[in-house]
PDB file of all heavy atoms in Angstrom:
ATOM      1  N   ARG M 283     289.730  54.218 216.198  1.00 44.00           N
ATOM      2  CA  ARG M 283     288.653  55.112 216.592  1.00 44.00           C
ATOM      3  C   ARG M 283     288.165  55.793 215.340  1.00 44.00           C
ATOM      4  O   ARG M 283     288.788  55.730 214.296  1.00 44.00           O
ATOM      5  CB  ARG M 283     289.153  56.166 217.589  1.00 44.00           C
ATOM      6  CG  ARG M 283     289.646  55.586 218.884  1.00 44.00           C
ATOM      7  CD  ARG M 283     290.079  56.658 219.819  1.00 44.00           C
ATOM      8  NE  ARG M 283     290.620  57.799 219.093  1.00 44.00           N
ATOM      9  CZ  ARG M 283     291.163  58.851 219.647  1.00 44.00           C
ATOM     10  NH1 ARG M 283     291.257  58.933 220.923  1.00 44.00           N
ATOM     11  NH2 ARG M 283     291.633  59.840 218.930  1.00 44.00           N
ATOM     12  N   SER M 284     287.106  56.512 215.438  1.00 42.00           N
ATOM     13  CA  SER M 284     286.534  57.175 214.259  1.00 42.00           C
ATOM     14  C   SER M 284     287.146  58.550 214.017  1.00 42.00           C
ATOM     15  O   SER M 284     286.651  59.305 213.206  1.00 42.00           O
ATOM     16  CB  SER M 284     285.015  57.295 214.411  1.00 42.00           C
ATOM     17  OG  SER M 284     284.706  58.064 215.548  1.00 42.00           O
ATOM     18  N   THR M 285     288.208  58.883 214.699  1.00 43.00           N
ATOM     19  CA  THR M 285     288.846  60.176 214.529  1.00 43.00           C
ATOM     20  C   THR M 285     289.508  60.268 213.158  1.00 43.00           C
ATOM     21  O   THR M 285     290.155  59.345 212.719  1.00 43.00           O
ATOM     22  CB  THR M 285     289.928  60.382 215.609  1.00 43.00           C
ATOM     23  OG1 THR M 285     289.350  60.099 216.874  1.00 43.00           O
ATOM     24  CG2 THR M 285     290.458  61.791 215.591  1.00 43.00           C
ATOM     25  N   SER M 286     289.348  61.382 212.489  1.00 48.00           N
ATOM     26  CA  SER M 286     289.902  61.551 211.149  1.00 48.00           C
ATOM     27  C   SER M 286     291.231  62.306 211.194  1.00 48.00           C
ATOM     28  O   SER M 286     291.584  62.908 212.200  1.00 48.00           O
ATOM     29  CB  SER M 286     288.917  62.317 210.265  1.00 48.00           C
ATOM     30  OG  SER M 286     288.826  63.655 210.687  1.00 48.00           O
ATOM     31  N   PHE M 287     291.937  62.297 210.062  1.00 50.00           N
ATOM     32  CA  PHE M 287     293.204  63.016 209.962  1.00 50.00           C
ATOM     33  C   PHE M 287     293.006  64.508 210.178  1.00 50.00           C
ATOM     34  O   PHE M 287     293.860  65.180 210.711  1.00 50.00           O
ATOM     35  CB  PHE M 287     293.847  62.786 208.591  1.00 50.00           C
ATOM     36  CG  PHE M 287     294.518  61.462 208.476  1.00 50.00           C
ATOM     37  CD1 PHE M 287     293.914  60.423 207.801  1.00 50.00           C
ATOM     38  CD2 PHE M 287     295.745  61.251 209.051  1.00 50.00           C
ATOM     39  CE1 PHE M 287     294.532  59.200 207.700  1.00 50.00           C
ATOM     40  CE2 PHE M 287     296.375  60.030 208.954  1.00 50.00           C
ATOM     41  CZ  PHE M 287     295.766  59.004 208.277  1.00 50.00           C
ATOM     42  N   SER M 288     291.867  65.054 209.758  1.00 49.00           N
ATOM     43  CA  SER M 288     291.650  66.494 209.902  1.00 49.00           C
ATOM     44  C   SER M 288     291.494  66.892 211.366  1.00 49.00           C
ATOM     45  O   SER M 288     291.646  68.058 211.707  1.00 49.00           O
ATOM     46  CB  SER M 288     290.431  66.941 209.100  1.00 49.00           C
ATOM     47  OG  SER M 288     289.284  66.280 209.575  1.00 49.00           O
ATOM     48  N   ASP M 289     291.204  65.926 212.265  1.00 49.00           N
ATOM     49  CA  ASP M 289     291.086  66.232 213.683  1.00 49.00           C
ATOM     50  C   ASP M 289     292.449  66.382 214.354  1.00 49.00           C
ATOM     51  O   ASP M 289     292.534  66.783 215.503  1.00 49.00           O
ATOM     52  CB  ASP M 289     290.307  65.130 214.408  1.00 49.00           C
ATOM     53  CG  ASP M 289     288.850  65.111 214.021  1.00 49.00           C
ATOM     54  OD1 ASP M 289     288.345  66.160 213.596  1.00 49.00           O
ATOM     55  OD2 ASP M 289     288.224  64.043 214.125  1.00 49.00           O
ATOM     56  N   LYS M 290     293.526  66.067 213.650  1.00 50.00           N
ATOM     57  CA  LYS M 290     294.869  66.134 214.209  1.00 50.00           C
ATOM     58  C   LYS M 290     295.194  67.499 214.784  1.00 50.00           C
ATOM     59  O   LYS M 290     295.797  67.613 215.835  1.00 50.00           O
ATOM     60  CB  LYS M 290     295.900  65.758 213.140  1.00 50.00           C
ATOM     61  CG  LYS M 290     297.320  65.920 213.589  1.00 50.00           C
ATOM     62  CD  LYS M 290     298.232  65.759 212.407  1.00 50.00           C
ATOM     63  CE  LYS M 290     299.535  66.419 212.610  1.00 50.00           C
ATOM     64  NZ  LYS M 290     299.545  67.828 212.802  1.00 50.00           N
ATOM     65  N   GLU M 291     294.753  68.544 214.100  1.00 54.00           N
ATOM     66  CA  GLU M 291     295.078  69.901 214.539  1.00 54.00           C
ATOM     67  C   GLU M 291     294.490  70.237 215.907  1.00 54.00           C
ATOM     68  O   GLU M 291     294.939  71.147 216.567  1.00 54.00           O
ATOM     69  CB  GLU M 291     294.620  70.910 213.490  1.00 54.00           C
ATOM     70  CG  GLU M 291     293.139  70.890 213.257  1.00 54.00           C
ATOM     71  CD  GLU M 291     292.754  71.538 211.952  1.00 54.00           C
ATOM     72  OE1 GLU M 291     293.266  71.145 210.905  1.00 54.00           O
ATOM     73  OE2 GLU M 291     291.934  72.454 212.002  1.00 54.00           O
ATOM     74  N   LYS M 292     293.495  69.474 216.359  1.00 58.00           N
ATOM     75  CA  LYS M 292     292.843  69.734 217.636  1.00 58.00           C
ATOM     76  C   LYS M 292     293.475  68.949 218.778  1.00 58.00           C
ATOM     77  O   LYS M 292     293.079  69.080 219.915  1.00 58.00           O
ATOM     78  CB  LYS M 292     291.361  69.362 217.543  1.00 58.00           C
ATOM     79  CG  LYS M 292     290.613  70.091 216.458  1.00 58.00           C
ATOM     80  CD  LYS M 292     289.220  69.523 216.318  1.00 58.00           C
ATOM     81  CE  LYS M 292     288.565  70.066 215.069  1.00 58.00           C
ATOM     82  NZ  LYS M 292     287.380  69.320 214.703  1.00 58.00           N
ATOM     83  N   ILE M 293     294.428  68.105 218.482  1.00 65.00           N
ATOM     84  CA  ILE M 293     294.984  67.193 219.474  1.00 65.00           C
ATOM     85  C   ILE M 293     296.298  67.726 220.027  1.00 65.00           C
ATOM     86  O   ILE M 293     297.196  68.092 219.272  1.00 65.00           O
ATOM     87  CB  ILE M 293     295.186  65.791 218.852  1.00 65.00           C
ATOM     88  CG1 ILE M 293     293.828  65.221 218.458  1.00 65.00           C
ATOM     89  CG2 ILE M 293     295.903  64.865 219.817  1.00 65.00           C
ATOM     90  CD1 ILE M 293     293.910  63.895 217.750  1.00 65.00           C
ATOM     91  N   GLY M 294     296.399  67.751 221.337  1.00 72.00           N
ATOM     92  CA  GLY M 294     297.636  68.155 221.989  1.00 72.00           C
ATOM     93  C   GLY M 294     298.636  67.016 222.005  1.00 72.00           C
ATOM     94  O   GLY M 294     298.253  65.845 221.891  1.00 72.00           O
ATOM     95  N   ARG M 295     299.898  67.334 222.164  1.00 70.00           N
ATOM     96  CA  ARG M 295     300.947  66.324 222.087  1.00 70.00           C
ATOM     97  C   ARG M 295     300.808  65.215 223.128  1.00 70.00           C
ATOM     98  O   ARG M 295     301.252  64.105 222.917  1.00 70.00           O
ATOM     99  CB  ARG M 295     302.329  66.963 222.146  1.00 70.00           C
ATOM    100  CG  ARG M 295     302.582  67.820 223.366  1.00 70.00           C
ATOM    101  CD  ARG M 295     303.944  68.516 223.336  1.00 70.00           C
ATOM    102  NE  ARG M 295     304.963  67.621 223.866  1.00 70.00           N
ATOM    103  CZ  ARG M 295     306.008  67.182 223.183  1.00 70.00           C
ATOM    104  NH1 ARG M 295     306.204  67.560 221.963  1.00 70.00           N
ATOM    105  NH2 ARG M 295     306.875  66.369 223.728  1.00 70.00           N
ATOM    106  N   ASN M 296     300.187  65.497 224.281  1.00 75.00           N
ATOM    107  CA  ASN M 296     300.037  64.488 225.323  1.00 75.00           C
ATOM    108  C   ASN M 296     298.685  63.781 225.299  1.00 75.00           C
ATOM    109  O   ASN M 296     298.411  62.954 226.160  1.00 75.00           O
ATOM    110  CB  ASN M 296     300.271  65.119 226.698  1.00 75.00           C
ATOM    111  CG  ASN M 296     301.735  65.423 226.905  1.00 75.00           C
ATOM    112  OD1 ASN M 296     302.587  64.574 226.664  1.00 75.00           O
ATOM    113  ND2 ASN M 296     302.043  66.630 227.322  1.00 75.00           N
ATOM    114  N   GLU M 297     297.856  64.101 224.312  1.00 72.00           N
ATOM    115  CA  GLU M 297     296.569  63.423 224.172  1.00 72.00           C
ATOM    116  C   GLU M 297     296.733  62.185 223.309  1.00 72.00           C
ATOM    117  O   GLU M 297     297.752  62.014 222.635  1.00 72.00           O
ATOM    118  CB  GLU M 297     295.554  64.365 223.532  1.00 72.00           C
ATOM    119  CG  GLU M 297     295.204  65.548 224.416  1.00 72.00           C
ATOM    120  CD  GLU M 297     294.218  66.477 223.744  1.00 72.00           C
ATOM    121  OE1 GLU M 297     293.258  65.986 223.130  1.00 72.00           O
ATOM    122  OE2 GLU M 297     294.428  67.694 223.813  1.00 72.00           O
ATOM    123  N   LEU M 298     295.711  61.320 223.324  1.00 66.00           N
ATOM    124  CA  LEU M 298     295.747  60.134 222.482  1.00 66.00           C
ATOM    125  C   LEU M 298     295.788  60.548 221.016  1.00 66.00           C
ATOM    126  O   LEU M 298     295.144  61.513 220.616  1.00 66.00           O
ATOM    127  CB  LEU M 298     294.532  59.249 222.729  1.00 66.00           C
ATOM    128  CG  LEU M 298     294.486  58.542 224.080  1.00 66.00           C
ATOM    129  CD1 LEU M 298     293.214  57.704 224.180  1.00 66.00           C
ATOM    130  CD2 LEU M 298     295.703  57.660 224.278  1.00 66.00           C
ATOM    131  N   CYS M 299     296.555  59.807 220.238  1.00 65.00           N
ATOM    132  CA  CYS M 299     296.733  60.123 218.823  1.00 65.00           C
ATOM    133  C   CYS M 299     295.417  60.014 218.064  1.00 65.00           C
ATOM    134  O   CYS M 299     294.573  59.161 218.366  1.00 65.00           O
ATOM    135  CB  CYS M 299     297.773  59.187 218.207  1.00 65.00           C
ATOM    136  SG  CYS M 299     298.225  59.659 216.537  1.00 65.00           S
ATOM    137  N   PHE M 300     295.267  60.845 217.042  1.00 58.00           N
ATOM    138  CA  PHE M 300     294.066  60.871 216.205  1.00 58.00           C
ATOM    139  C   PHE M 300     293.859  59.596 215.406  1.00 58.00           C
ATOM    140  O   PHE M 300     292.769  59.306 214.946  1.00 58.00           O
ATOM    141  CB  PHE M 300     294.115  62.058 215.235  1.00 58.00           C
ATOM    142  CG  PHE M 300     295.188  61.948 214.183  1.00 58.00           C
ATOM    143  CD1 PHE M 300     294.909  61.421 212.940  1.00 58.00           C
ATOM    144  CD2 PHE M 300     296.484  62.376 214.456  1.00 58.00           C
ATOM    145  CE1 PHE M 300     295.900  61.317 211.981  1.00 58.00           C
ATOM    146  CE2 PHE M 300     297.468  62.276 213.499  1.00 58.00           C
ATOM    147  CZ  PHE M 300     297.182  61.743 212.252  1.00 58.00           C
ATOM    148  N   CYS M 301     294.896  58.788 215.237  1.00 60.00           N
ATOM    149  CA  CYS M 301     294.812  57.594 214.389  1.00 60.00           C
ATOM    150  C   CYS M 301     294.144  56.420 215.085  1.00 60.00           C
ATOM    151  O   CYS M 301     293.788  55.447 214.436  1.00 60.00           O
ATOM    152  CB  CYS M 301     296.199  57.190 213.928  1.00 60.00           C
ATOM    153  SG  CYS M 301     297.197  56.524 215.278  1.00 60.00           S
ATOM    154  N   GLY M 302     293.994  56.496 216.395  1.00 51.00           N
ATOM    155  CA  GLY M 302     293.354  55.403 217.108  1.00 51.00           C
ATOM    156  C   GLY M 302     294.308  54.365 217.673  1.00 51.00           C
ATOM    157  O   GLY M 302     293.886  53.310 218.131  1.00 51.00           O
ATOM    158  N   SER M 303     295.588  54.632 217.664  1.00 52.00           N
ATOM    159  CA  SER M 303     296.580  53.662 218.143  1.00 52.00           C
ATOM    160  C   SER M 303     296.575  53.501 219.662  1.00 52.00           C
ATOM    161  O   SER M 303     297.190  52.593 220.187  1.00 52.00           O
ATOM    162  CB  SER M 303     297.972  54.089 217.697  1.00 52.00           C
ATOM    163  OG  SER M 303     298.348  55.288 218.360  1.00 52.00           O
ATOM    164  N   GLN M 304     295.921  54.402 220.374  1.00 52.00           N
ATOM    165  CA  GLN M 304     295.889  54.462 221.833  1.00 52.00           C
ATOM    166  C   GLN M 304     297.228  54.883 222.429  1.00 52.00           C
ATOM    167  O   GLN M 304     297.464  54.741 223.611  1.00 52.00           O
ATOM    168  CB  GLN M 304     295.425  53.126 222.439  1.00 52.00           C
ATOM    169  CG  GLN M 304     294.010  52.742 222.030  1.00 52.00           C
ATOM    170  CD  GLN M 304     292.978  53.780 222.435  1.00 52.00           C
ATOM    171  OE1 GLN M 304     292.944  54.213 223.570  1.00 52.00           O
ATOM    172  NE2 GLN M 304     292.162  54.202 221.488  1.00 52.00           N
ATOM    173  N   LYS M 305     298.121  55.424 221.598  1.00 60.00           N
ATOM    174  CA  LYS M 305     299.377  55.998 222.063  1.00 60.00           C
ATOM    175  C   LYS M 305     299.194  57.506 222.156  1.00 60.00           C
ATOM    176  O   LYS M 305     298.331  58.083 221.498  1.00 60.00           O
ATOM    177  CB  LYS M 305     300.511  55.710 221.067  1.00 60.00           C
ATOM    178  CG  LYS M 305     300.820  54.254 220.876  1.00 60.00           C
ATOM    179  CD  LYS M 305     301.912  54.097 219.845  1.00 60.00           C
ATOM    180  CE  LYS M 305     302.161  52.651 219.522  1.00 60.00           C
ATOM    181  NZ  LYS M 305     303.162  52.492 218.460  1.00 60.00           N
ATOM    182  N   LYS M 306     300.051  58.140 222.945  1.00 68.00           N
ATOM    183  CA  LYS M 306     300.042  59.600 222.959  1.00 68.00           C
ATOM    184  C   LYS M 306     300.492  60.099 221.583  1.00 68.00           C
ATOM    185  O   LYS M 306     301.348  59.485 220.942  1.00 68.00           O
ATOM    186  CB  LYS M 306     300.981  60.146 224.037  1.00 68.00           C
ATOM    187  CG  LYS M 306     300.453  59.975 225.435  1.00 68.00           C
ATOM    188  CD  LYS M 306     301.369  60.646 226.446  1.00 68.00           C
ATOM    189  CE  LYS M 306     300.809  60.501 227.840  1.00 68.00           C
ATOM    190  NZ  LYS M 306     301.648  61.188 228.822  1.00 68.00           N
ATOM    191  N   TYR M 307     299.908  61.205 221.172  1.00 68.00           N
ATOM    192  CA  TYR M 307     300.216  61.780 219.862  1.00 68.00           C
ATOM    193  C   TYR M 307     301.716  61.979 219.682  1.00 68.00           C
ATOM    194  O   TYR M 307     302.266  61.666 218.628  1.00 68.00           O
ATOM    195  CB  TYR M 307     299.456  63.098 219.700  1.00 68.00           C
ATOM    196  CG  TYR M 307     299.742  63.835 218.438  1.00 68.00           C
ATOM    197  CD1 TYR M 307     299.504  63.244 217.193  1.00 68.00           C
ATOM    198  CD2 TYR M 307     300.241  65.129 218.463  1.00 68.00           C
ATOM    199  CE1 TYR M 307     299.755  63.922 216.013  1.00 68.00           C
ATOM    200  CE2 TYR M 307     300.491  65.817 217.288  1.00 68.00           C
ATOM    201  CZ  TYR M 307     300.249  65.218 216.065  1.00 68.00           C
ATOM    202  OH  TYR M 307     300.503  65.886 214.908  1.00 68.00           O
ATOM    203  N   LYS M 308     302.424  62.443 220.728  1.00 69.00           N
ATOM    204  CA  LYS M 308     303.865  62.709 220.613  1.00 69.00           C
ATOM    205  C   LYS M 308     304.676  61.429 220.382  1.00 69.00           C
ATOM    206  O   LYS M 308     305.778  61.481 219.884  1.00 69.00           O
ATOM    207  CB  LYS M 308     304.383  63.463 221.841  1.00 69.00           C
ATOM    208  CG  LYS M 308     304.336  62.674 223.142  1.00 69.00           C
ATOM    209  CD  LYS M 308     304.811  63.524 224.299  1.00 69.00           C
ATOM    210  CE  LYS M 308     304.724  62.782 225.613  1.00 69.00           C
ATOM    211  NZ  LYS M 308     305.106  63.650 226.738  1.00 69.00           N
ATOM    212  N   HIS M 309     304.125  60.273 220.741  1.00 66.00           N
ATOM    213  CA  HIS M 309     304.810  58.997 220.544  1.00 66.00           C
ATOM    214  C   HIS M 309     304.298  58.244 219.321  1.00 66.00           C
ATOM    215  O   HIS M 309     304.658  57.093 219.100  1.00 66.00           O
ATOM    216  CB  HIS M 309     304.646  58.095 221.774  1.00 66.00           C
ATOM    217  CG  HIS M 309     305.279  58.641 223.007  1.00 66.00           C
ATOM    218  ND1 HIS M 309     306.646  58.870 223.115  1.00 66.00           N
ATOM    219  CD2 HIS M 309     304.738  59.049 224.169  1.00 66.00           C
ATOM    220  CE1 HIS M 309     306.899  59.369 224.301  1.00 66.00           C
ATOM    221  NE2 HIS M 309     305.762  59.497 224.971  1.00 66.00           N
TER     222      HIS M 309
END
């Protein structure tokens, strides 16, 4: 996805990871 590393701070642990892996951020 086009999400950047700086968007990480806006992502909750149960949301999709900022890297675009389609995994939850916590995983």
Side-chain angles (χ1 to χ4, degrees):
R283 297 182 328 185
S284 61
T285 310
S286 70
F287 282 102
S288 61
D289 291 335
K290 175 190 157 298
E291 61 198 55
K292 302 172 191 166
I293 296 176
R295 57 184 275 119
N296 287 312
E297 294 179 43
L298 290 180
C299 188
F300 67 94
C301 70
S303 67
Q304 298 301 310
K305 298 178 186 176
K306 287 185 178 182
Y307 176 59
K308 66 182 178 184
H309 296 298

